[in-house]
Amino acid sequence: MKFTLSWLKDHLDTGADLDIILTTLTRIGLEVEGVENPAERLAGFRVARVLTAERHPQADKLQVLSVETGDGAPLQVVCGAPNARAGLVGVLGTPGAVVPSNGMQLRVSAIRGVESNGMMCSSRELELGDDHDGIIELPADTAIGTAFADYAGLDDPVIDVSITPNRQDCMGVRGIARDLAAAGLGTLKPLSVDPVAGEGEGPSVSIEDEGGCPAFFAQNVSGVSNGTAPEWMQRRLKAIGQKPISALVDITNYVMFDLGRPLHVYDRAKLSGGLVARPARAGEQVLALNGKTYSLDAGMTVIADDAHVHDIGGIMGGEESGVSDATTDVLIECAYFTPEAIARTGQRLNLTSDARARFERGVDPAFLEDGLAIATRMVMDLCGGRASSVTHAGQPPVEMARFAYDPSLAETLGGLAIAPDRQRAILMALGFAVSDDWQVTPPTWRRDVDGPSDLVEEVIRIEGLDNVPSTPLPRAEGVARPTATPEQRTERRLRRAAAARGLNEAVTWSFISEKHAAVFGGGAWTLANPISEDMKVMRPSLLPGLLAAAQRNLSRGATSVRLFEIGRRYLADGERATLAVLLAGERSPREWLGGKAQPFDAYDAKGEALALLEAAGAPVGNISVMGEAGDAWHPGQSGTLRLGPKTVLATFGMVHPLVAQAFDLSGPVAAVELYPDAIPARRASGFMRPAFAPPALQAVRRDFAFVVPVGLAADQLVRAVRGADKAAIVDARVFDQFTGASVGEGQKSLAVEVVMQPGEKSFTDAELKAVADKVVAAAGKLGAVLRG
């Protein structure tokens, strides 16, 4: 929200300087994002008079001017403007000044051999308009030597404040002035409302969509002359980034920014019959003022006549009924639109406007009558004409809830003790009605206030958050005890382990688009009022965010992407803690020994999953690899890590090519989803773990080669071998695989290294043979035969 300092002082009677105003705005919750003074950009530009104008000796289209600046001898300036002549009063840019339109710094220079001491300026060069046909011409009696910014009234700082979505009352300059007055920075000036009684019958307006437009007030003005708005209005609109269009349009824009009250003006000559606020019919179209045609959905609120839709209610008017220089008869609309309906329509059409920004926050429903009166009076003052009586269709929702308030809440809830009388004064200055027994009714422009806690917020922010004392939380005596939960400790271990393995942590949105959610089976939770269509579904998986991040990095030149994220998935039965890993691009770059670059594969994903599960305390030795990873994963190149048939600890493997394609990723992508809440909790023994004592005797290693069916998973064989004698065997691993004619068709050879650890004495040959027999027998249950 932008406004100028002089604009603010139209509503606020204050002697405070700019710095105090800026500090107070931020202190009361209206954060100042920036301040810009147009006068600073025009430093070095002065009002000057051309004394003489002679033809340039070396150029037919240039003139050599003698320019009076009111400060010493005249300056010689070379100028190419066709309207430059003796006696003209214009604007001179002196050496050292910077031209706003192009950033060029003026200096004394020779133009075609003639010295020039600056430049006579056009409106476009000073960014004051589009006129570039000649230099600016000022009235002949303008004081020579005056700084042009002072003459043009441009020494007026523009303040830009950030308005949070709950502060609809501050979407107009008057609302901001009201807050500053409540903070003790002056007095809020009374608002001048001069209703126009009007003559004759009012305009024909009606409502058929009370849910979307509960109230529709309107007034006709006939015989207007739609010229340009006065200079003061244009200057203020330009200062906040609005382009002046015509007096009628500028009046509606000015009232919207000044008072937070959007309006619309129709050219009555372009209407067919009366106007009605009704639901749109599916397939109806409207050509909006931005030049785009929008197809409407059934239920959207529109303003239409007997023939056409003319307005997307509360968001944007249509071109077909817009006013022009030829307009003589107008209808001024002042309506109240339901915030929720405006938000839904704007999101569906992907259409934003200043009116939508105000209506979807909630404009003051009690300000229709006065808002229309102010706009009508301004139209008649600036454009002339005769007003009709006012037509009132519907009733705005002006009833406000009433709350019982306890002044002690300021201290118990807000942390600051404030005298009850001071609290009452603050609330009343903000427009709240406070009874003797502390029954508080919010003003109609504060639909965000919904209970005593909101009243505490109002009181504390005006009194000053910086006045709230810093009070440490109570703590128990002695050494502080750990406060992290087992789940938090597990997340910390996983985060450290993932970072130590060279993965980069990413933090992505918890909301994704419906299209991306559908790729992962769809989301169980969809927002009814999302901030964007791309953030509509609560993510069923962390992989969509990581896939999108990988695509952005790879498209910007990254060759290898290794990401992880710890967050929450949102499923039908609740939210689940999850760690996701994504590997895309090159696992290893091209080099002379290995040749071309190598991509990531499913075994990389499996290695990451097992390493992270071990870091989280999972019993990795008991984990089984199984299938059924899901439709988002590549069949045959993915799987799950489980404890038993039901407890899934992680899903790993290659992402399905169609999924990668949905995120504009080419090439293989490996990924992991690990589920910390599925990891069994450690048993609390209650005793300190004994110190580690290395074995006194050396371990014994034996190799076994088994011929097994080609479909047997190696980890099944390893687990069977390891469990053959749990007292003696401490480890087992596959170190070789062989297939060929010598082992038979449909068979393969797996070589397993078995590690046996003696206890108090070394193994005898008989004991080793007994363990070996147990290993062969355990493997035989899986169809494995010792290879001869």
Side-chain angles (χ1 to χ4, degrees), residues 28 79 138 162 193 331 363 491 496 514 660 682 741:
I28 62 178
C79 179
L138 302 177
S162 176
V193 180
L331 181 151
V363 301
E491 285 191 10
R496 292 192 185 102
E514 288 183 304
R682 296 181 179 180

Side-chain angles (χ1 to χ4, degrees), residues 404-460:
Y405 178 65
D406 182 357
S408 65
L409 289 174
E411 182 175 10
T412 59
L413 189 60
L416 183 61
I418 305 174
D421 288 345
R422 172 60 180 157
Q423 295 190 51
R424 184 188 300 274
I426 290 174
L427 291 173
M428 293 181 69
L430 291 172
F432 292 80
V434 185
S435 66
D436 293 339
D437 59 349
W438 287 99
Q439 297 292 319
V440 181
T441 305
T444 53
W445 57 80
R446 292 301 303 270
R447 67 188 295 267
D448 59 300
V449 176
D450 191 26
S453 57
D454 290 331
L455 300 178
V456 172
E457 179 184 356
E458 294 300 300
V459 169
I460 295 296

Side-chain angles (χ1 to χ4, degrees), residues 700-704 706 721-722 728-733 735 752-756 771 775:
V700 178
R701 301 175 186 272
R702 292 288 185 270
D703 296 343
F704 297 83
F706 294 102
V721 169
R722 188 185 292 118
I729 298 174
V730 295
D731 195 15
R733 69 180 185 89
F735 67 89
V752 181
E753 179 189 60
V754 179
V755 181
M756 294 170 282
V771 174
V775 168

Side-chain angles (χ1 to χ4, degrees), residues 269-546:
K270 300 177 181 178
L271 299 179
S272 299
L275 291 179
V276 57
R278 63 168 174 81
R281 304 181 183 98
E284 282 188 315
Q285 293 186 331
V286 58
L287 176 61
L289 288 171
N290 61 2
K292 297 180 180 180
T293 299
Y294 293 91
S295 295
L296 307 176
D297 295 339
M300 294 180 177
T301 302
V302 298
I303 307 296
D305 61 10
D306 296 341
H308 304 286
V309 173
H310 289 288
D311 191 345
I312 305 171
I315 299 180
M316 189 170 290
E319 277 198 359
E320 292 184 358
S321 59
V323 297
S324 65
D325 291 342
T327 298
T328 57
D329 301 318
V330 297
L331 181 151
I332 306 174
E333 166 220 307
C334 186
Y336 179 84
F337 297 95
T338 305
E340 294 78 10
I342 292 293
R344 286 193 295 268
T345 299
Q347 289 164 3
R348 289 179 193 172
L349 298 178
N350 193 25
L351 177 59
T352 59
S353 68
D354 292 314
R356 174 191 166 184
R358 285 157 178 80
F359 275 121
E360 70 181 354
R361 283 173 164 86
V363 301
D364 183 2
F367 194 64
L368 272 70
E369 189 81 45
D370 288 350
L372 181 59
I374 291 170
T376 302
R377 175 60 67 186
M378 195 173 289
V379 166
M380 296 178 65
D381 289 345
L382 300 181
C383 304
R386 303 175 309 279
S388 71
S389 59
V390 178
T391 300
H392 305 87
Q395 290 293 329
V398 296
E399 293 297 325
M400 299 297 292
R402 196 179 187 192
F403 309 110
Y405 178 65
D406 182 357
S408 65
L409 289 174
E411 182 175 10
T412 59
L413 189 60
L416 183 61
I418 305 174
D421 288 345
R422 172 60 180 157
Q423 295 190 51
R424 184 188 300 274
I426 290 174
L427 291 173
M428 293 181 69
L430 291 172
F432 292 80
V434 185
S435 66
D436 293 339
D437 59 349
W438 287 99
Q439 297 292 319
V440 181
T441 305
T444 53
W445 57 80
R446 292 301 303 270
R447 67 188 295 267
D448 59 300
V449 176
D450 191 26
S453 57
D454 290 331
L455 300 178
V456 172
E457 179 184 356
E458 294 300 300
V459 169
I460 295 296
R461 73 178 181 87
I462 296 299
E463 187 68 10
L465 289 171
D466 51 341
N467 292 325
V468 178
S470 298
T471 305
L473 294 174
R475 55 162 292 174
E477 296 292 335
V479 179
R481 297 180 179 180
T483 58
T485 64
E487 293 78 12
Q488 291 171 330
R489 292 196 294 271
T490 298
E491 285 191 10
R492 290 176 185 175
R493 289 195 297 270
L494 285 171
R495 181 173 282 108
R496 292 192 185 102
R501 293 184 62 81
L503 300 172
N504 299 306
E505 185 171 11
V507 179
T508 64
W509 293 106
S510 297
F511 307 99
I512 59 178
S513 66
E514 288 183 304
K515 181 180 71 173
H516 286 166
V519 175
F520 287 83
W525 305 98
T526 301
L527 300 184
N529 186 23
I531 62 175
S532 163
E533 285 297 314
D534 291 333
M535 301 177 67
K536 190 172 185 179
V537 180
M538 300 186 77
R539 62 186 179 191
S541 167
L542 271 64
L543 292 180
L546 294 183

Side-chain angles (χ1 to χ4, degrees), residues 701-709 712-719 721-722 731-739 743 747-755 775 779 784-788:
R701 301 175 186 272
R702 292 288 185 270
D703 296 343
F704 297 83
F706 294 102
V707 177
V708 301
L712 180 68
D715 76 314
Q716 288 185 261
L717 179 62
V718 170
R719 283 188 288 108
V721 169
R722 188 185 292 118
D731 195 15
R733 69 180 185 89
V734 173
F735 67 89
D736 184 50
Q737 175 179 291
F738 173 76
T739 57
V743 296
Q747 303 288 315
K748 64 181 177 181
S749 172
L750 293 177
V752 181
E753 179 189 60
V754 179
V755 181
V775 168
V785 178
L786 193 65
R787 186 178 176 187

